[in-house]
Amino acid sequence: MHLFFSHSRERKKRATGFATLRKKFIRRRRSSKACDHGRIIRELVSSWNPLEAGALLEEYEALAALKDLHVQAELARPPAATFKQDLSTLYDYKYCTDVDLVYRGACFPVHRALLSARCPYFRDLLAGCPGYGARICLELRSHNIEVPMFSALLRYLYTGDVCSHDGSLDAALLRRLGEEFGNPNPLEHDLRYLLETGNYADAALVFTSDSDYQRPDSGSSEYGFRPKLELACHKAILSARSPFFRNLIQRRTRSGEDHTERALHIPTRIVLDESVIPKRYAHVLLHAVYLDTVDLSLILRGTGCGNGAGSLGEVQALTHTGRMRPSPLEEAMELYQIGRFLELDILSQGCEDLILEWLTLESLPTVLKWGSQPHGSAWVHRQALHYLREEFQPVASSPILHQLDQTHLVEVLQSHFLQASELEVLQAVLKWGEQELVRRMEDREPNLLSHTVHSVARKGVKKRDLSDIELREILSELLPLVRMDHVLPPNNEILAQAIRRGLVSTPPSHMIGDERENLRINAWIRGGKKNGLFVRPRLFMPYYEEIKGLVEEQMVQEQELIRLRRARYIPDIPDTLYMVDEKPRVMGAAGVDVLAAALPVPDSATMSAMLKREQKLRQSPSCQRAISLPLSSRHEINRQLRLRVVREFNLPDAVADLLEVRLKN
């Protein structure tokens, strides 16, 4: 049975009448707030004709289809190989084999530990032929088993599955072979047996540090140190799961070290530096190697870890540095980096999934900062940004807003899919900027002691004390991303005050010139004489749902409305002011060369596979739906498809441009 680590974040609080009442008020406020959004967008379109309301709905529908493709691209990552897939590869490539089976003149290099654990017949057979490199000739009672059939049987023992493309084994033959060889347990059961018992182990993971080293004459081992932790394991399984371990073991084989170990009948010791891979993660690591699960409950704690987590040494170190013991989230982040170092994708992706499972408003700033670092996970970073886009309203009304970096705000404000009204976006930007200005004022205050009588932090800062000039400089990258023409209601005090303070340099179009109502319509929908004013609306779901309901209410024949729309509005008109993605650059040969020099250019086989994958995705229902909508942008659809492909192939996002160039050629 799989053991999954379940981290409970339930906080038991005493429920009081006041708390219950407060929750009801919050729910009522949220529901009324949602109703306000519907009312506000209805007021905007109240004077529009059905054709104009339908055009806005088409805009939202095209964005909804694009969002589906965008989410799929954000979730894309190369799948981590399972233990079944890796053991199948192990059988094919024969890493670390230690015994040869000869059947009808064909030699099959295999692994003693795996066959002994999987099959009673081979367990008894190999027990009678001990030693490395034994060569065993087989005579089976079932004489009709051909060599390909025997090979399929061995692969079945390695993987627990009958290959669909291999017709050598069928159910009847498997039953007959089970009578002769013994029916194997599920593969996971036997791998757990090898992990927990250490039987047939030919290797040991040894965790050590500089402080473990002793003088050779001080009773230490032949390696000059006294290891704190040593775990039995199997070279075959380590080699199958991790290229890092495989290369390490192969180097020892080439150097001749393993010959000495075999002569002395001692396991191969694989020494890991605890400063890189802390010993407290030892069991978590092996559990992922053998069973594909990341179980943080296996982290070693207490004095048995030496200076590891929970020990007296750790408590003293944490007290001295003022640090608290790592949280489960921080431990998952550290384990992710260990998985990357060991090239153990199943561990890294398992940690990514845990980090995402524990993502909350409180942990969001930490996860965003970690994910954006070179040692962090780009996949986690994309999911955290998606979370920020979806939860922008609660983030904007909480102290979490002030913990966000400007770069993260820029990324989400550029998105068409930010879940907040434009007025809420403007409020959040102003609030973030004012807090940033206060922080800068506190940093440069002349008082050496904070919270003294004359300090800024002590007195507090009133809004009138803030410099609008400095605030405008702080918000110079954020305010242009607020779609001012879509701030509703259009004449609200927050927008008017921002204009008076000089923070908004260009007022919304409906505040300039004549025919204000017409200008307001042209800022929301395409077409008309003043189409240059059009700004693509965000796919804010309360607005979308309200417009959808409004159009359904209107008594207009469906087919006639579609005909009128398509006759008047031209599809795929590029955004003019707030386009997230630029149109593809015109790249000559020199441009391709520069791009290729800066990126890992895929070989021809990989490029062919990527192009084939893109064509398959293009035929998917979600992509075909997006393409079929009149106002969809082909460029944006193609961009999301190519991003998804390069991420599935574990390549940088910039390779998507190279894929586009290859398609054009």
Side-chain angles (χ1 to χ4, degrees):
M1 180 186 296
H2 285 280
L3 295 176
F4 290 98
F5 177 75
S6 176
H7 180 74
S8 176
R9 287 186 169 270
E10 296 179 0
R11 299 178 179 177
K12 297 182 179 179
K13 297 184 178 180
R14 185 175 299 172
T16 64
F18 177 76
T20 304
L21 187 62
R22 184 170 177 271
K23 289 179 181 178
K24 288 182 179 179
F25 277 132
I26 290 174
R27 279 198 295 269
R28 189 178 304 165
R29 193 181 309 132
R30 285 179 178 170
S31 62
S32 64
K33 196 171 185 181
C35 292
D36 284 344
H37 289 310
R39 176 181 57 79
I40 288 172
I41 193 67
R42 276 191 177 247
E43 287 178 357
L44 173 71
V45 302
S46 60
S47 60
W48 294 13
N49 61 46
L51 179 60
E52 291 164 338
L56 181 56
L57 178 60
E58 279 194 334
E59 200 70 58
Y60 282 137
E61 288 175 339
L63 282 171
L66 181 64
K67 184 178 181 180
D68 288 343
L69 299 179
H70 176 76
V71 170
Q72 293 169 17
E74 297 288 88
L75 288 170
R77 61 180 175 181
T82 64
F83 56 68
K84 289 187 176 185
Q85 293 168 327
D86 281 337
L87 290 179
S88 178
T89 302
L90 177 70
Y91 177 71
D92 289 330
Y93 287 90
K94 317 298 183 187
Y95 305 127
C96 301
T97 57
D98 51 11
V99 63
D100 292 337
L101 300 180
V102 180
Y103 180 72
R104 294 193 176 185
C107 181
F108 295 91
V110 292
H111 303 86
R112 181 183 297 271
L114 280 168
L115 291 188
S116 297
R118 296 284 290 141
C119 178
Y121 172 85
F122 285 115
R123 183 185 310 135
D124 297 337
L125 177 68
L126 295 173
C129 303
Y132 175 83
R135 190 177 181 87
I136 304 173
C137 295
L138 296 178
E139 292 291 338
L140 303 180
R141 294 199 307 266
S142 301
H143 299 292
N144 60 337
I145 299 179
E146 302 296 332
V147 170
M149 192 181 303
F150 181 73
S151 177
L153 170 65
L154 291 178
R155 185 182 297 278
Y156 171 73
L157 292 176
Y158 272 70
T159 64
D161 290 331
V162 178
C163 295
S164 57
H165 61 273
D166 192 341
S168 303
L169 295 178
D170 56 26
L173 179 58
L174 280 176
R175 282 194 297 270
R176 192 164 71 252
L177 292 174
E179 295 172 359
E180 180 170 353
F181 291 98
N183 292 312
N185 297 309
L187 179 59
E188 181 185 353
H189 176 279
D190 290 334
L191 290 177
R192 185 181 297 278
Y193 163 78
L194 290 175
L195 170 64
E196 294 178 350
T197 66
N199 287 349
Y200 313 108
D202 55 0
L205 289 186
V206 180
F207 294 81
T208 185
S209 62
D210 293 340
S211 61
D212 294 329
Y213 282 86
Q214 309 288 334
R215 296 194 311 273
D217 58 351
S218 63
S220 62
S221 71
E222 68 272 21
Y223 291 92
F225 61 88
R226 186 179 292 114
K228 295 286 186 64
L229 183 64
E230 187 169 327
L231 298 179
C233 52
H234 305 83
K235 288 191 286 188
I237 296 177
L238 292 182
S239 297
R241 303 312 311 275
S242 163
F244 173 88
F245 284 128
R246 179 165 65 245
N247 294 333
L248 181 63
I249 292 169
Q250 289 176 342
R251 282 199 303 270
R252 292 175 66 92
T253 301
R254 288 192 294 268
S255 68
E257 292 179 74
D258 60 337
H259 297 299
T260 303
E261 291 162 344
R262 283 197 293 269
L264 296 174
H265 302 288
I266 60 175
T268 298
R269 280 175 165 78
I270 301 174
V271 180
L272 300 176
D273 186 348
E274 195 189 354
S275 65
V276 179
I277 305 176
K279 64 168 63 74
R280 66 180 181 273
Y281 296 134
H283 290 293
V284 183
L285 170 60
L286 283 183
H287 207 261
V289 168
Y290 280 74
L291 298 173
D292 283 359
T293 58
V294 180
D295 187 352
L296 297 195
S297 69
L298 297 174
I299 294 176
L300 296 173
R301 307 187 190 280
T303 55
C305 288
N307 290 330
S311 68
L312 178 61
E314 185 205 23
V315 171
Q316 292 172 340
L318 294 178
T319 303
H320 179 70
T321 59
R323 293 182 62 248
M324 299 296 291
R325 180 179 288 116
S327 66
L329 182 65
E330 291 169 328
E331 289 173 329
M333 290 174 176
E334 189 173 12
L335 268 169
Y336 166 83
Q337 293 165 220
I338 292 172
R340 290 284 301 273
F341 178 78
L342 297 177
E343 301 175 80
L344 184 59
D345 292 340
I346 200 71
L347 175 59
S348 295
Q349 290 195 4
C351 291
E352 287 178 332
D353 294 338
L354 286 178
I355 293 169
L356 190 58
E357 180 182 338
W358 297 330
L359 183 60
T360 62
L361 286 182
E362 290 73 21
S363 65
L364 178 61
T366 299
V367 173
L368 280 170
K369 289 177 184 177
W370 175 79
S372 62
Q373 299 298 317
H375 59 265
S377 163
W379 186 85
V380 167
H381 185 62
R382 293 200 300 269
Q383 311 321 309
L385 285 174
H386 175 75
Y387 181 90
L388 176 56
R389 286 191 297 268
E390 294 294 317
E391 301 296 326
F392 192 79
Q393 287 175 315
V395 168
S397 60
S398 75
I400 301 300
L401 175 68
H402 308 309
Q403 301 176 33
L404 299 177
D405 292 340
Q406 178 175 303
T407 54
H408 298 138
L409 286 175
V410 168
E411 288 187 79
V412 297
L413 291 182
Q414 287 176 329
S415 173
H416 292 313
F417 313 122
L418 186 64
Q419 289 308 297
S421 70
E422 217 59 39
L423 177 59
E424 291 168 331
V425 173
L426 176 60
Q427 286 177 297
V429 168
L430 294 175
K431 188 193 302 184
W432 182 90
E434 290 169 352
Q435 182 64 30
E436 178 67 14
L437 178 53
V438 171
R439 186 190 63 77
R440 293 188 185 185
M441 293 172 65
E442 291 177 349
D443 287 345
R444 62 177 180 251
E445 69 173 359
N447 300 297
L448 296 178
L449 296 177
S450 180
H451 298 287
T452 58
V453 175
H454 301 290
S455 70
V456 171
R458 174 85 175 193
K459 294 188 299 183
V461 179
K462 295 182 173 57
K463 187 172 292 188
R464 65 172 178 266
D465 299 328
L466 299 178
S467 167
D468 290 336
I469 295 175
E470 191 172 358
L471 181 59
R472 185 165 62 245
E473 183 272 326
I474 290 173
L475 297 177
S476 60
E477 294 187 35
L478 296 176
L479 278 174
L481 299 175
V482 181
R483 308 181 186 189
M484 298 296 179
D485 279 343
H486 296 166
V487 174
L488 297 177
N491 297 316
N492 67 85
E493 181 57 28
I494 295 173
L495 176 58
Q497 188 179 35
I499 294 173
R500 286 196 299 269
R501 295 170 66 185
L503 301 177
V504 178
S505 56
T506 305
S509 57
H510 66 270
M511 293 186 177
I512 306 172
D514 299 325
E515 301 180 4
R516 294 185 177 183
E517 192 62 36
N518 290 334
L519 288 171
R520 193 181 305 166
I521 293 176
N522 286 316
W524 284 82
I525 61 176
R526 306 172 191 254
K529 296 179 180 178
K530 295 182 173 60
N531 189 59
L533 299 172
F534 171 71
V535 178
R536 196 168 194 183
R538 300 187 199 273
L539 183 65
F540 183 40
M541 296 309 294
Y543 286 0
Y544 175 31
E545 296 297 335
E546 196 67 27
I547 294 299
K548 186 191 298 184
L550 180 65
V551 171
E552 290 174 354
E553 291 171 7
Q554 295 170 337
M555 303 302 293
V556 178
Q557 291 294 328
E558 182 73 17
Q559 294 301 321
E560 179 65 15
L561 183 60
I562 292 176
R563 186 188 66 77
L564 290 173
R565 287 179 195 162
R566 294 188 176 176
R568 177 172 175 179
Y569 296 101
I570 303 172
D572 200 13
I573 301 174
D575 299 345
T576 56
L577 184 57
Y578 295 98
M579 178 172 287
V580 176
D581 293 323
E582 296 178 355
K583 286 293 183 181
R585 299 186 304 272
V586 178
M587 299 179 63
V592 177
D593 292 341
V594 171
L595 181 65
L599 294 172
V601 181
D603 56 36
S604 58
T606 302
M607 183 62 74
S608 176
M610 290 169 66
L611 295 174
K612 185 176 180 181
R613 175 61 174 160
E614 182 180 351
Q615 292 303 318
K616 183 176 180 180
L617 291 176
R618 197 174 297 281
Q619 302 305 316
S620 66
S622 57
C623 182
Q624 290 298 308
R625 175 176 175 269
I627 292 174
S628 68
L629 295 172
L631 298 185
S632 289
S633 167
R634 290 295 184 98
H635 163 61
E636 290 175 329
I637 292 171
N638 292 337
R639 177 68 178 169
Q640 296 306 320
L641 290 179
R642 289 165 190 150
L643 282 173
R644 179 177 175 180
V645 170
V646 298
R647 289 166 181 170
E648 288 179 350
F649 280 77
N650 203 25
L651 293 167
D653 287 356
V655 176
D657 295 329
L658 189 63
L659 190 63
E660 181 178 354
V661 171
R662 185 63 60 90
L663 273 174
K664 288 183 176 181
N665 294 338

